[in-house]
C-alpha cells in the first residue's frame, strides 16, 4: 500500500508538471509570436514610409527635368531594399496563425504590386514613363498600403498581442493555482504515508533491536519473530540465519581452537629445533670459511713477497668467493630474524667500484658457463647502505641473468640519480634471456613464488 501511494503521488506530480509545462510553453509561444509580428510590422511601416518619401521626392525632381537614369549599382541597391521588406512581410506571414492570415496575405499581394511599380518607376527615372507609372500605379497603391492596410494590420496585431498577453497571464495564474493544489495534496498524502511508515518502522526496529541485543549478549539460540513479509521481515530472517550461523561457527571455532593449540605447540617446537639446527650448522661452517679466507690472504701476501704475481688474481678470487660464501652463511643466521620481523641493516659507506668488482669476480664464472659476456658499467663514487645486502642482491640478479641467457650479453649499469630526497644510486641489470610475461611480472615479488615451474625443470633453482 505504501508503495502504491508513493507511485500515485509521483505520477500526479509528474502529470501536473508535464501539463502545466505544455500550457505555459504554448501561451509563451503565442505571446512571443505576437510581439515578433508587432515588431516586424513597425519595421515594415518605417521602411515603406522612407520609400514613399524617396519616391515622392524623385518624382518631383523628375517632373522638373533635373534627373538622369540611375546606374546599375543604384538600381540593384534599390531593389535589394525592397526584397528585404518583402522578406520581413513573409516572416509576418509565417508567424501569423492560419485563421488570421487572410489580411496579411492580402497585404503581401498589394505590396508585391507596389514593389513592382516602384521598381519600374526607378528604372525609368528621368523619363516620361516614370511620371506615368507614378500617376497610374504608384500613388494609388501607396495610398492603399500606407493609409488603409498598414493601420488596419497594426490595430489587429495590437489586439492579438493584448489577447496573447492576457492569455499568458491567465495560463500562468491557472498553472500556479493547480500547482499549489497538487503540491498541497501531495504534502497531505506524504504526511499520512510518513506517519504510517514511521509507525511500522518503529515497531519493526524495536523488535529488531531487542533481537540484536539478545544475540549480541551471546544468546545465539534466540530467534527474532518475523511479523511481516517486507524488508523488516527479511532483515529479521537474516538476523535469525546469522544467529544460527554464528552458533554453528562458535562450536566449530572452539573445536578448531583446541586443534590449533596442539598444532601451535608442535610448530613452535619444530621451529625452535630448526633455528637451533641452522644456528649450529652456520657456526660449524663459519669456522672453516674464516680459515679459508685467512689462508688465502696469507698466500696472497706470500705470493707478493715471492714475486709470484700470476697466482695473485686466483688467490684474490678465492678470498672474494670465500667472503661471499661467508656472507651467505651469515644470511642463514638471519633467517630466524626474518621470521621474527627483526632484520637489522648495518649501514656503512663503501666504494661502489670496489663492491661491483667483487660481485663481477664471482659472477664471471657463471656468465662463462653459458658462453655469455659480462659487461660492467659503473660510475665512480661512494654509497651509504648495507654492503652485504646490496652485494647479495646484485649477485642474485646477475646469477639469474646468466642462468637464463645463453650465448649473449649480461650488462650491469650503475649510475647516480639525483632526486628531491638526495643522491640515489641506480642499479640496472640487462640480459637477453627468456624474459617474463606481464602476468609473471605481477608475481615477481611474491614470497617463495616462481614465474613458471617449468623453468625450474629446465634451468634449475628454487623459488625466491
Amino acid at each position: 500500500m505504501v508503495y502504491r501511494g508513493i507511485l500515485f503521488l509521483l505520477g500526479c506530480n509528474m502529470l501536473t508538471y508535464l501539463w502545466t509545462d505544455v500550457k505555459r510553453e504554448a501561451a509563451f509561444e503565442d505571446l512571443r509570436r505576437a510581439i515578433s509580428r508587432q515588431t516586424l510590422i513597425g519595421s515594415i511601416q518605417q521602411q515603406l514610409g522612407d520609400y514613399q518619401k524617396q519616391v515622392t521626392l524623385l518624382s518631383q525632381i523628375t517632373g522638373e527635368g533635373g534627373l538622369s537614369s540611375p546606374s546599375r549599382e543604384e538600381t540593384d541597391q534599390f531593389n535589394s531594399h525592397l526584397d528585404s521588406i518583402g522578406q520581413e512581410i513573409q516572416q509576418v506571414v509565417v508567424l501569423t496563425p492560419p485563421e488570421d492570415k487572410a489580411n496579411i496575405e492580402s497585404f503581401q499581394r498589394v505590396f508585391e504590386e507596389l514593389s513592382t511599380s516602384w521598381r519600374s518607376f526607378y528604372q525609368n527615372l528621368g523619363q516620361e514613363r516614370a511620371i506615368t507609372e507614378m500617376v497610374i500605379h504608384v500613388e494609388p497603391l501607396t495610398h492603399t498600403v500606407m493609409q488603409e492596410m498598414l493601420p488596419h494590420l497594426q490595430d489587429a496585431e495590437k489586439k492579438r498581442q493584448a489577447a496573447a498577453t492576457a492569455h499568458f497571464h491567465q495560463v500562468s495564474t491557472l498553472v500556479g493555482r493547480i500547482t499549489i493544489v497538487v503540491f498541497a495534496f501531495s504534502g497531505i498524502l506524504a504526511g499520512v504515508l510518513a506517519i504510517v511508515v514511521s509507525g511500522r518502522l518503529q515497531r519493526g526496529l524495536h523488535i529488531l533491536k531487542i533481537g540484536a541485543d539478545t544475540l549480541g549478549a551471546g544468546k545465539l539460540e534466540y530467534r527474532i519473530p518475523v511479523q511481516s513479509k517486507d524488508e523488516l521481515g527479511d532483515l529479521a530472517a537474516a538476523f535469525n540465519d546469522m544467529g544460527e550461523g554464528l552458533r554453528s561457527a562458535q562450536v566449530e571455532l572452539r573445536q578448531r581452537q583446541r586443534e590449533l593449540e596442539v598444532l601451535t605447540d608442535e610448530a613452535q617446537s619444530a621451529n625452535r629445533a630448526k633455528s637451533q639446527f641452522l644456528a649450529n650448522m652456520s657456526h660449524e661452517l663459519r669456522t672453516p670459511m674464516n680459515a679459508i679466507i685467512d689462508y688465502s690472504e696469507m698466500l696472497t701476501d706470500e705470493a707478493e713477497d715471492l714475486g709470484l704475481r700470476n697466482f695473485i688474481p686466483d688467490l684474490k678470487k678465492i678470498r672474494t668467493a670465500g667472503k661471499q660464501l661467508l656472507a651467505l652463511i651469515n644470511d642463514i643466521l638471519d633467517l630466524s630474524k626474518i621470521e621474527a620481523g627483526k632484520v637489522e641493516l648495518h649501514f656503512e659507506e663503501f666504494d661502489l667500484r670496489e663492491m661491483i668488482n667483487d660481485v663481477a669476480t664471482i659472477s664471471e664464472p657463471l656468465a662463462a658457463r653459458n658462453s655469455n659476456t659480462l659487461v660492467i658499467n659503473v660510475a665512480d663514487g661512494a654509497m651509504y647502505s648495507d654492503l652485504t645486502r646490496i652485494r647479495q642482491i646484485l649477485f642474485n640478479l646477475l646469477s639469474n641473468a646468466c642462468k637464463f641467457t645463453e650465448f649473449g650479453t649480461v650488462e650491469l649499469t650503475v649510475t647516480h640519480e639525483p632526486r628531491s630526497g638526495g643522491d640515489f644510486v641506480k642499479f640496472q641489470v640487462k640480459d637477453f634471456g627468456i624474459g617474463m610475461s606481464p602476468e609473471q611480472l605481477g608475481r615477481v615479488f611474491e614470497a617463495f613464488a616462481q614465474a613458471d615451474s617449468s623453468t625450474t625443470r629446465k634451468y634449475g633453482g628454487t623459488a625466491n
Side-chain angles (χ1 to χ4, degrees):
M1 177 181 176
V2 175
Y3 294 136
R4 287 195 294 270
I6 293 174
L7 291 176
F8 175 74
L9 184 62
L10 180 62
C12 289
N13 282 279
M14 184 61 67
L15 290 175
T16 302
Y17 170 77
L18 294 176
W19 183 81
T20 55
D21 186 67
V22 170
K23 289 295 183 181
R24 187 168 42 246
E25 288 293 330
F28 179 77
E29 181 64 19
D30 291 341
L31 180 59
R32 186 190 67 80
R33 286 174 173 266
I35 294 173
S36 299
R37 290 196 305 270
Q38 184 70 20
T39 303
L40 287 171
I41 290 175
S43 174
I44 293 169
Q45 183 180 22
Q46 179 66 34
Q47 296 182 64
L48 288 178
D50 293 341
Y51 259 91
Q52 180 186 12
K53 294 176 182 179
Q54 181 181 359
V55 170
T56 302
L57 180 61
L58 291 175
S59 65
Q60 293 175 357
I61 298 174
T62 300
E64 298 173 359
L67 280 180
S68 59
S69 299
S71 63
R72 179 65 178 270
E73 293 181 355
E74 291 174 342
T75 303
D76 291 342
Q77 186 177 5
F78 185 86
N79 294 334
S80 175
H81 290 165
L82 287 176
D83 291 338
S84 66
I85 297 174
Q87 292 175 359
E88 290 185 0
I89 295 175
Q90 180 60 34
Q91 292 179 15
V92 176
V93 173
V94 172
L95 293 173
T96 302
E99 63 273 11
D100 298 327
K101 281 188 176 180
N103 292 334
I104 188 62
E105 289 177 348
S106 176
F107 175 79
Q108 187 180 29
R109 289 191 296 271
V110 175
F111 170 77
E112 290 175 356
E113 295 178 6
L114 178 60
S115 176
T116 302
S117 298
W118 273 348
R119 295 174 196 271
S120 176
F121 167 79
Y122 198 77
Q123 289 176 355
N124 297 292
L125 197 62
Q127 303 177 17
E128 185 178 350
R129 185 177 177 182
I131 301 299
T132 304
E133 183 69 29
M134 181 70 181
V135 174
I136 296 175
H137 295 101
V138 172
E139 290 182 353
L141 289 173
T142 301
H143 181 270
T144 301
V145 170
M146 300 299 297
Q147 303 299 325
E148 297 177 5
M149 303 191 77
L150 262 178
H152 179 70
L153 283 176
Q154 283 186 322
D155 292 340
E157 284 302 327
K158 287 180 180 179
K159 293 178 181 179
R160 278 194 287 267
Q161 181 179 348
T165 303
H167 178 65
F168 178 76
H169 288 300
Q170 290 175 358
V171 170
S172 299
T173 303
L174 179 62
V175 166
R177 292 175 179 175
I178 293 176
T179 302
I180 292 173
V181 171
V182 170
F183 275 103
F185 174 73
S186 300
I188 295 172
L189 183 58
V192 173
L193 291 176
I195 294 173
V196 174
V197 172
S198 176
R200 294 184 62 182
L201 283 177
Q202 287 180 354
R203 290 191 297 271
L205 291 176
H206 180 68
I207 295 173
L208 287 175
K209 183 179 182 301
I210 294 175
D213 292 341
T214 305
L215 291 174
K219 298 180 180 179
L220 299 180
E221 66 280 358
Y222 178 79
R223 296 296 175 264
I224 301 174
V226 180
Q227 298 181 344
S228 61
K229 296 182 179 181
D230 55 5
E231 288 81 1
L232 292 176
D234 295 338
L235 187 58
F239 266 105
N240 293 334
D241 294 340
M242 181 184 66
E244 180 62 27
L246 288 174
R247 191 184 64 81
S248 301
Q250 188 180 53
V251 174
E252 184 177 358
L253 181 61
R254 289 173 180 171
Q255 179 65 28
R256 294 290 180 87
Q257 187 175 5
R258 289 191 290 268
E259 296 175 357
L260 183 60
E261 290 174 355
V262 175
L263 293 175
T264 301
D265 293 338
E266 295 177 355
Q268 290 177 350
S269 299
N271 189 51
R272 286 192 297 270
K274 179 199 68 174
S275 299
Q276 186 65 36
F277 171 76
L278 291 175
N280 292 337
M281 288 300 298
S282 299
H283 287 294
E284 293 294 333
L285 291 173
R286 179 183 290 175
T287 300
M289 284 309 307
N290 284 325
I292 293 173
I293 294 172
D294 293 340
Y295 275 111
S296 64
E297 291 177 350
M298 293 171 58
L299 289 174
T300 301
D301 295 338
E302 188 174 352
E304 290 178 351
D305 295 338
L306 296 176
L308 302 176
R309 298 191 176 276
N310 293 335
F311 294 98
I312 293 176
D314 293 331
L315 291 172
K316 288 184 176 181
K317 290 180 180 179
I318 294 173
R319 183 186 62 184
T320 303
K323 288 183 177 180
Q324 183 66 25
L325 186 56
L326 181 60
L328 292 176
I329 295 172
N330 290 331
D331 289 341
I332 296 176
L333 288 174
D334 289 338
L335 182 59
S336 58
K337 296 181 180 180
I338 293 175
E339 291 176 346
K342 297 181 179 179
V343 177
E344 296 179 358
L345 298 178
H346 301 282
F347 290 93
E348 59 180 310
E349 187 172 347
F350 54 88
D351 184 74
L352 276 174
R353 185 174 294 277
E354 181 179 351
M355 184 269 294
I356 295 298
N357 289 337
D358 292 342
V359 175
T361 300
I362 301 173
S363 301
E364 283 177 352
L366 299 176
R369 186 181 304 168
N370 287 342
S371 302
N372 295 318
T373 302
L374 181 62
V375 178
I376 304 295
N377 300 313
V378 57
D380 292 330
M383 182 178 181
Y384 184 75
S385 184
D386 190 316
L387 173 61
T388 303
R389 307 294 180 189
I390 294 294
R391 184 166 50 198
Q392 183 62 46
I393 291 172
L394 291 177
F395 177 73
N396 289 341
L397 291 174
L398 290 173
S399 175
N400 282 337
C402 294
K403 180 169 62 175
F404 294 108
T405 303
E406 297 179 351
F407 304 98
T409 300
V410 177
E411 182 178 352
L412 171 61
T413 303
V414 184
T415 57
H416 291 276
E417 185 174 316
R419 295 184 183 177
S420 58
D423 189 12
F424 286 75
V425 180
K426 180 180 180 180
F427 299 91
Q428 185 176 7
V429 177
K430 180 179 179 181
D431 65 74
F432 296 89
I434 60 176
M436 298 179 70
S437 66
E439 181 182 358
Q440 293 170 343
L441 285 174
R443 304 195 307 268
V444 71
F445 290 111
E446 293 182 5
F448 301 104
Q450 217 168 15
D452 189 353
S453 59
S454 61
T455 58
T456 304
R457 296 191 297 269
K458 182 175 180 180
Y459 297 96
T462 59
N464 295 327

